[in-house]
Amino acid sequence: MQSITTAHNLKGKRVLLRASLNVPIRQGAILDTVRLEQALPTIKFLIGAGARVIVVSHLSKAEGTTLQPVFRYLKEKIPLSFIGNIHSDRAQDMIAKMRDDDVVLAENLRVYPEEEANDPVFTRTLASLADMYVNDDFTVSHRKHASIVGVPKFLPSYMGLSFEREYTFLSQALRAPTPSLAILGGGKPETKIPLIASLAEKMTDVFVCGISANVLWKSQGFEIGLSVASAFPIPTTEKVLKMENIHLPSDVRIKDAQGIVRVGSLQSVDAGSAIVDAGPQTLLDIEQLIKQASFVLWNGPLGEYEKGYTESTHALARLLAQSGKHVIVGGGDTVAAIATLGLSDKFTFVSSAGGAMIDFLAHETLPGIEALGRS
C-alpha cells in the first residue's frame, strides 16, 4: 500500500476520499466527534496540496440516513459544500465545476443498495468522479463494499493518514515484543474466539473475559445460568481450551434472581443467576500479567458494560493508564470507557476501528487492504 503522502502532483486532481464519518447521531446531534476529528488531517493534507476533494462515507442504519449533521460539523472546520445524491445532475455539475482546494461531501453511501452489494455499475459511477482514490476509513475496510474494494480497481489508490495510523499501530500486535499480553472481553464471541486462538499463537498471554469467557465455560460443562453466551457453536472453542497461555477469570460478579450482585467463583453460579462482570481477584490476576508484559493489547469490556456493570472495566482502564507500558486499545465500549474516565491520552494508541480491528488481528489483512495493495 502507498500512503497519500507519497503521491506527487496532486494539484488540480479530483480525489475520491473514502472517509470515516460514521458517528453516533441522536435527533440530529452528533454524540461523539472523534472519528470526524481523525478524518480532518487527510482532508486538510489534500486541500494543502491543491486537490479537488470529493468525500464519501456512510452512516449505519442506527444513526439515520443523512450525513447532513456531519456536514454541518465539518463545515465549521473546513470550507465545504454538500452535493447530496451523487447521481443527480446538480452533483455532477458541482463536481465538474470544482476548483483547486474545493471540498464536497456526498450523501450517505448506504442509501444506495449497490454500495453494500459492490455493484459494478455503481462502482464505475464512483470511480468516474475522480482521478485518484484515497481510503481513509480503516473502520469499514473489513467490508467488501463498492467504495472500499471496487473503486481501487479503476483508479490509482492510496491510504489516508488515519488509515495508515491504524494499520501501523495494529500491525504491532501481529509482531508483539515478548512478553506480551492481550486482554479480550466484550461481545461477539463468534469473531472474538477465533481471534483468541490467533493471538495466543503470537502473544505470551491472552486473558479472556466477557461473553467469550462465558462461551468457553459453557463448552466445558460449567453452569453459567442466565449469563449471555453464543446461540451457535463456535468451531475454534475446543482449540482455545487446549492452549496453555489462555487465562479465564478466577472470580466474577454474579447477579441473582432478586437482582442482587455479589462476588463469587464460577462454581457459585446457579441456573437463576448471571455473570455480569469480572471480580476483584481477576483484576489482581490481570495486574500481575500487565507487570510482566512489555506490550498490551486490550479490546472489549470485562463485563456487561452497556448495562451499567462498569466497575472492573474502569479499574482495568486505570491500571493500564498508569502502567507505563506500550498499550493499544480498541473496541467501542472500551474506547467509551477510557473517554469517560478522561484517559484517552494515556495510551500508546486508541483504535476507532471496532470490528475491522478484530478482523485485521485475526486474519492479518482486510479486503480494503488487499484492494489498495492490488491497485
Side-chain angles (χ1 to χ4, degrees):
M1 294 186 295
Q2 296 183 80
S3 169
I4 187 57
T5 58
T6 67
H8 302 291
N9 302 321
L10 290 172
K11 185 173 178 60
K13 295 286 182 66
R14 293 176 302 155
V15 178
L16 185 70
L17 172 63
R18 210 320 178 169
S20 182
L21 308 182
N22 183 33
V23 293
I25 298 173
R26 184 178 300 159
Q27 296 180 341
I30 297 172
L31 306 182
D32 184 350
T33 63
V34 170
R35 285 184 176 176
L36 304 186
E37 293 297 327
Q38 291 175 340
L40 285 170
T42 298
I43 298 174
K44 290 179 177 179
F45 173 83
L46 291 169
I47 292 172
R52 306 174 185 190
V53 189
I54 304 155
V55 183
V56 295
S57 190
H58 80 281
L59 282 180
S60 60
K61 293 177 182 177
E63 315 306 342
T65 59
T66 181
L67 281 167
Q68 283 279 4
V70 171
F71 166 69
R72 290 191 291 270
Y73 179 88
L74 291 178
K75 194 174 182 181
E76 296 180 359
K77 310 285 183 176
I78 53 173
L80 183 66
S81 300
F82 191 77
I83 62 174
N85 184 341
I86 58 171
H87 295 300
S88 68
D89 292 340
R90 175 179 176 275
Q92 298 293 325
D93 184 59
M94 287 181 67
I95 291 172
K97 293 179 179 178
M98 289 179 72
R99 298 180 178 180
D100 297 357
D101 307 340
D102 281 353
V103 185
V104 298
L105 172 64
E107 186 54 281
N108 175 13
L109 286 175
R110 290 196 183 170
V111 302
Y112 314 105
E114 299 91 339
E115 159 68 1
E116 293 181 79
N118 191 19
D119 178 79
V121 175
F122 183 74
T123 297
R124 286 182 179 275
T125 298
L126 288 177
S128 70
L129 301 176
D131 304 306
M132 57 191 302
Y133 167 80
V134 175
N135 184 353
D136 202 32
D137 195 351
F138 193 95
T139 69
V140 79
S141 289
H142 58 318
R143 306 295 188 192
K144 294 181 179 180
H145 294 172
S147 64
I148 298 297
V149 300
V151 174
K153 295 177 181 179
F154 302 102
L155 295 174
S157 300
Y158 301 83
M159 55 180 170
L161 304 180
S162 177
F163 187 112
E164 184 177 10
R165 186 170 164 79
E166 289 276 356
Y167 178 77
T168 299
F169 278 96
L170 294 182
S171 292
Q172 294 175 3
L174 303 178
R175 50 182 186 276
T178 302
S180 56
L181 169 66
I183 305 166
L184 299 176
K188 301 180 180 178
E190 294 82 6
T191 56
K192 285 279 176 70
I193 289 179
L195 173 62
I196 292 166
S198 176
L199 286 179
E201 294 173 347
K202 302 179 180 75
M203 306 189 78
T204 310
D205 293 284
V206 178
F207 207 107
V208 183
C209 292
I211 296 176
S212 293
N214 297 344
V215 170
L216 294 175
W217 282 324
K218 185 177 180 180
S219 69
Q220 291 176 294
F222 288 106
E223 176 64 70
I224 65 167
L226 303 175
S227 308
V228 180
S230 175
F232 310 99
I234 301 172
T236 48
T237 298
E238 186 175 344
K239 177 182 178 180
V240 166
L241 291 171
K242 292 179 180 179
M243 304 181 89
E244 296 183 356
N245 61 335
I246 291 176
H247 310 268
L248 293 169
S250 53
D251 65 343
V252 290
R253 287 186 167 83
I254 305 162
K255 183 175 72 172
D256 64 21
Q258 287 72 46
I260 298 171
V261 177
R262 58 184 172 82
V263 174
S265 67
L266 177 63
Q267 289 71 23
S268 62
V269 179
D270 58 38
S273 60
I275 299 166
V276 296
D277 202 0
Q281 181 57 49
T282 296
L283 263 295
L284 292 174
D285 296 340
I286 295 174
E287 184 177 15
Q288 289 305 308
L289 291 173
I290 292 170
K291 288 179 179 178
Q292 297 168 18
S294 58
F295 176 93
V296 182
L297 172 74
W298 176 28
N299 182 288
L302 304 190
E304 296 188 16
Y305 187 87
E306 72 283 358
K307 294 184 180 179
Y309 301 102
T310 63
E311 187 171 348
S312 292
T313 299
H314 285 178
L316 176 58
R318 294 187 183 98
L319 276 176
L320 288 171
Q322 297 165 6
S323 69
K325 301 300 177 76
H326 187 108
V327 181
I328 293 177
V329 179
D333 286 336
T334 318
V335 173
I338 64 175
T340 297
L341 298 171
L343 299 175
S344 299
D345 61 346
K346 303 298 183 181
F347 300 91
T348 308
F349 181 65
V350 178
S351 171
S352 61
M357 174 184 180
I358 297 299
D359 276 16
F360 177 69
L361 293 176
H363 305 295
E364 302 190 12
T365 190
L366 296 172
I369 291 172
E370 296 295 307
L372 289 181
R374 288 192 301 265
S375 66

